[in-house]
């Protein structure tokens, strides 16, 4: 049914929602192809405000037209009204570090059906941009996408990344190509020299393009921040950078041989040794540097929880393998199984050591957050039993386990992730914002696990209630068993 736009605008302008509708105009209403009104919700809007009870949210097209409290639904032809009393609404979730959107029939819709309405794909390819455009046109189910460049690493990198840059000319060419394909940021990896990292910093600054990703192994985290890196992903080198012996550790890293294949093991040993000399004062200093540089930390605890477990045990976990069997293409299932099986069995002392290290990482993330580090929730979904969509809820739970409040964890996955991605119209629920929401059956501020109790998802203003979500899950499962695309070819997290 066509919306009676004149009657809808008259209702919207009648003052029933007060100033909450002031940013929505007649032109906006004309552009809106559908209008949905959600009533009687408890709204957790992604800001520091307390929950709003008995709220009304008006969606027009792909934007939020208005938000108000205790407002009756409009009696306007063509407007869909959904009574959600007893439900809780949060902003659509972000995954600020995702991969493999090119598996278009499974990975993007898995994000969406789990309430992840926006992602940063940190491994951009031409096909990634094709998928994003198809989603925007409504041809595919999936989240809004911010897309990084192809992965850049040093000229002697031992991993199979997209592009090695070992000279200043190669850096200039790579950044120019990123600009040409409209990448939202340049992605850097682990095995580049300090000089090449500095060149990328200078060249991206010249083009007005942010860069983010890994900390090059031979650089302290504070130095990376000083050079202007917009986001620092994962937890590599964070204990070395917050140790009382930081200078000693980095002197050893700077002296590593040219064979980069030995670097990850050396860093892992140093970072685990650094736990014993962890300094809260150094942590406070690092948090202050993040804040002063307006830089973001994306800790990706979800993937670290996998790599801190005995790899051979992952496919033996019935929950993980059950998700893989239902929702992953055969090629990805086999790739993950091969990757897990390639590891030797861990002895008990290795299991205990990695579990203790993971607990130390959680403590460090909690301290960094408490000391004011800007933090965005990302998962590294696509790597080793870290599932698109599902992993976002793992990340929320791990952030709370690290010491963040449920509200702060939700903000990391909504408002703050949107800020990290430079998408100011996303991440909060207010008039004029993107119409991306998650409707929950229970309060996530009481226990963060309630983020999994999804009743409905709103994406670009389209309401996906229980029947639509079930159909989408069924479509994903069917596609997973039909898909014979090659494996992801992942170089690691």
């Amino acid at each position: 049914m066509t919306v009676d736009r004149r009657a809808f605008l008259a209702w919207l302008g009648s003052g029933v929602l007060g100033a909450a509708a002031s940013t929505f105009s007649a032109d906006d209403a004309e552009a809106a192809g559908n209008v949905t009104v959600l009533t009687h919700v408890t709204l957790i809007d992604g800001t520091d405000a307390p929950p709003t009870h008995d709220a009304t949210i008006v969606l027009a097209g792909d934007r939020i037209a208005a938000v108000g409290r205790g407002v009756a639904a409009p009696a306007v032809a063509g407007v869909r009204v959904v009574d959600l009393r007893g439900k809780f609404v949060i902003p659509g979730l972000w995954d600020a570090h995702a991969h493999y959107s090119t598996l278009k029939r499974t990975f993007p819709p898995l994000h969406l059906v789990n309430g992840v309405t926006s992602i940063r794909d940190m491994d951009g390819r031409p096909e990634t941009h094709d998928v994003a455009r198809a989603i925007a046109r409504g041809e595919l189910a999936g989240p809004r996408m911010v897309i990084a460049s192809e992965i850049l690493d040093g000229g002697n990198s031992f991993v199979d990344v997209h592009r090695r840059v070992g000279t200043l000319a190669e850096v200039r060419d790579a950044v120019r190509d990123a600009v040409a394909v409209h990448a939202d940021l340049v992605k850097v990896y682990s095995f580049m020299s300090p000089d090449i990292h500095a060149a990328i910093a200078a060249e991206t600054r010249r083009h007005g393009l942010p860069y983010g990703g890994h900390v090059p192994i031979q650089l302290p985290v504070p130095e990376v921040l000083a050079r202007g890196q917009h986001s620092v992903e994962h937890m590599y080198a964070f204990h070395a950078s917050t140790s009382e012996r930081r200078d000693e550790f980095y002197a050893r890293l700077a002296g590593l041989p040219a064979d980069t294949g030995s670097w990850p093991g050396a860093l892992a040993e140093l970072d685990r040794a650094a736990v014993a000399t962890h300094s809260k004062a150094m942590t406070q200093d690092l948090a202050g540097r993040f804040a002063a540089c307006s830089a973001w930390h994306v800790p990706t605890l979800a993937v670290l929880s996998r790599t801190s477990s005995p790899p051979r045990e992952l496919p033996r976990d019935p929950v993980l393998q059950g998700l893989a069997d239902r929702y992953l293409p055969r090629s990805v299932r086999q790739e993950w199984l091969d990757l897990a099986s390639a590891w030797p069995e861990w002895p008990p002392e290795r299991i205990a050591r990695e579990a203790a290290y993971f607990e130390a990482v959680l403590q460090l993330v909690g301290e960094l957050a408490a000391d004011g580090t800007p933090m965005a929730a990302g998962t590294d979904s696509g790597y080793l039993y870290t599932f698109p969509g599902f992993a976002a809820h793992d990340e929320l739970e791990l952030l709370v386990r690290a010491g963040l409040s449920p509200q702060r964890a939700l903000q990391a996955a909504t408002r703050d992730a949107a800020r990290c991605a430079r998408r100011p119209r996303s991440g909060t629920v207010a008039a004029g914002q993107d119409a991306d929401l998650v409707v929950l059956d229970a309060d996530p501020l009481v226990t963060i696990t309630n983020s999994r109790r999804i009743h409905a998802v709103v994406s670009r203003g389209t309401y996906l209630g229980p029947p639509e979500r079930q159909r989408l899950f069924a479509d994903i499962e069917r596609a997973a068993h039909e898909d014979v695309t090659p494996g992801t070819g992942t170089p690691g997290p």
Side-chain angles (χ1 to χ4, degrees):
M1 182 185 297
T2 303
V3 175
D4 184 339
R5 289 187 175 87
R6 179 173 295 182
F8 169 65
L9 270 178
W11 174 80
L12 201 60
S14 65
V16 294
L17 290 167
S22 62
T23 64
F24 200 77
S25 68
D27 290 340
D28 294 323
E30 285 300 320
N34 60 295
V35 176
T36 302
V37 180
L38 312 180
T39 63
H40 303 297
V41 304
T42 296
L43 172 62
I44 300 166
D45 67 6
T47 73
D48 294 325
T52 301
H53 301 285
D54 194 27
T56 297
I57 305 171
V58 183
L59 314 172
D62 68 350
R63 294 179 64 197
I64 298 171
V67 180
R69 186 177 182 279
V71 177
V76 176
V79 171
R80 180 184 185 185
V81 178
V82 185
D83 188 329
L84 292 174
R85 69 186 72 229
K87 307 297 184 186
F88 297 79
V89 169
I90 61 173
L93 298 173
W94 274 81
D95 187 337
H97 192 118
H99 287 286
Y100 310 117
S101 303
T102 51
L103 296 169
K104 60 186 180 183
R105 300 176 65 203
T106 50
F107 274 44
L110 272 176
H111 284 295
L112 186 62
V113 79
N114 281 286
V116 178
T117 57
S118 300
I119 64 170
R120 280 200 314 165
D121 190 306
M122 296 296 287
D123 186 4
R125 312 161 185 242
E127 301 90 339
T128 312
H129 292 271
D130 292 340
V131 170
R133 286 188 286 267
I135 291 171
R137 292 192 300 263
E139 298 167 4
L140 290 173
R144 301 179 197 259
M145 292 170 60
V146 168
I147 303 174
S149 70
E150 57 190 335
I151 297 173
L152 305 186
D153 205 2
N156 63 339
S157 175
F158 78 101
V159 295
D160 185 21
V161 296
H162 291 189
R163 190 162 184 168
R164 292 175 175 83
V165 288
T167 67
L168 297 181
E170 289 171 344
V171 168
R172 285 193 292 270
D173 288 345
V175 174
R176 185 180 63 244
D177 290 348
V179 172
V181 299
H182 305 291
D184 295 294
L185 72 156
V186 166
K187 167 73 179 288
V188 295
Y189 209 64
S190 303
F191 308 108
M192 60 177 59
S193 69
D195 287 347
I196 291 298
H197 183 270
I200 291 173
E203 194 65 17
T204 53
R205 185 162 54 247
R206 191 170 74 83
H207 285 276
L209 192 64
Y211 76 104
H214 293 211
V215 176
I217 283 176
Q218 293 183 307
L219 282 173
V221 178
E223 177 63 23
V224 167
L225 297 175
R227 293 176 177 203
Q229 187 161 320
H230 175 69
S231 67
V232 177
E233 321 289 310
H234 314 305
M235 294 300 299
Y236 306 142
F238 269 76
H239 274 99
S241 289
T242 55
S243 167
E244 294 172 348
R245 296 167 58 192
R246 185 183 77 187
D247 293 344
E248 173 193 335
F249 286 139
Y250 276 99
R252 291 167 64 181
L253 289 171
L256 289 173
D259 172 21
T260 59
S262 65
W263 292 10
L267 175 63
E269 287 300 315
L270 283 178
D271 215 35
R272 282 153 181 77
V275 170
T277 55
H278 171 63
S279 165
K280 288 191 175 181
M282 296 285 277
T283 303
Q284 290 173 341
D285 176 74
L286 183 59
R289 291 172 186 260
F290 267 101
C293 296
S294 299
W296 293 88
H297 183 208
V298 186
T300 65
L301 297 172
V303 74
L304 186 58
S305 73
R306 302 286 185 262
T307 58
S308 297
S309 303
R312 282 178 170 265
E313 293 298 318
L314 295 173
R316 299 169 186 166
D317 184 310
V319 174
L320 296 179
Q321 194 55 46
L323 289 174
D325 289 340
R326 290 190 70 178
Y327 299 123
L328 293 187
R330 185 184 309 112
S331 58
V332 180
R333 294 200 306 271
Q334 189 61 50
E335 186 174 290
W336 287 6
L337 179 60
D338 291 346
L339 188 58
S341 302
W343 285 80
E345 294 282 359
W346 283 5
E349 58 270 19
R350 174 73 185 274
I351 295 173
R353 185 187 187 200
E354 294 302 322
Y357 176 69
F358 184 65
E359 290 301 319
V361 165
L362 292 177
Q363 179 182 341
L364 178 53
V365 168
E367 290 178 6
L368 286 166
D371 291 334
T373 301
M375 199 166 285
T379 70
D380 210 4
S381 57
Y383 179 75
L384 196 60
Y385 296 90
T386 309
F387 295 88
F390 296 98
H393 302 278
D394 297 338
E395 191 75 18
L396 286 170
E397 291 167 23
L398 288 167
L399 287 170
V400 170
R401 185 173 154 192
L404 280 70
S405 69
Q407 183 176 31
R408 176 79 188 275
L410 280 172
Q411 288 171 337
T414 55
R415 178 195 67 184
D416 295 343
R419 289 174 176 174
C420 173
R422 298 188 171 188
R423 291 296 185 267
R425 269 181 39 177
S426 180
T428 58
V429 183
Q433 295 292 87
D434 290 336
D436 298 332
L437 308 168
V438 186
V439 182
L440 303 174
D441 285 324
D443 189 350
L445 299 184
V446 172
T447 175
I448 196 62
T449 57
N450 286 337
S451 72
R452 298 183 188 270
R453 297 183 59 183
I454 297 173
H455 176 78
V457 176
V458 178
S459 175
R460 300 175 190 264
T462 297
Y463 186 86
L464 305 173
E468 291 84 3
R469 289 185 68 241
Q470 286 305 312
R471 283 196 292 271
L472 192 48
F473 270 121
D475 289 345
I476 297 165
E477 190 167 356
R478 182 166 51 253
H481 290 86
E482 294 173 352
D483 201 329
V484 292
T485 55
T488 60
T490 172

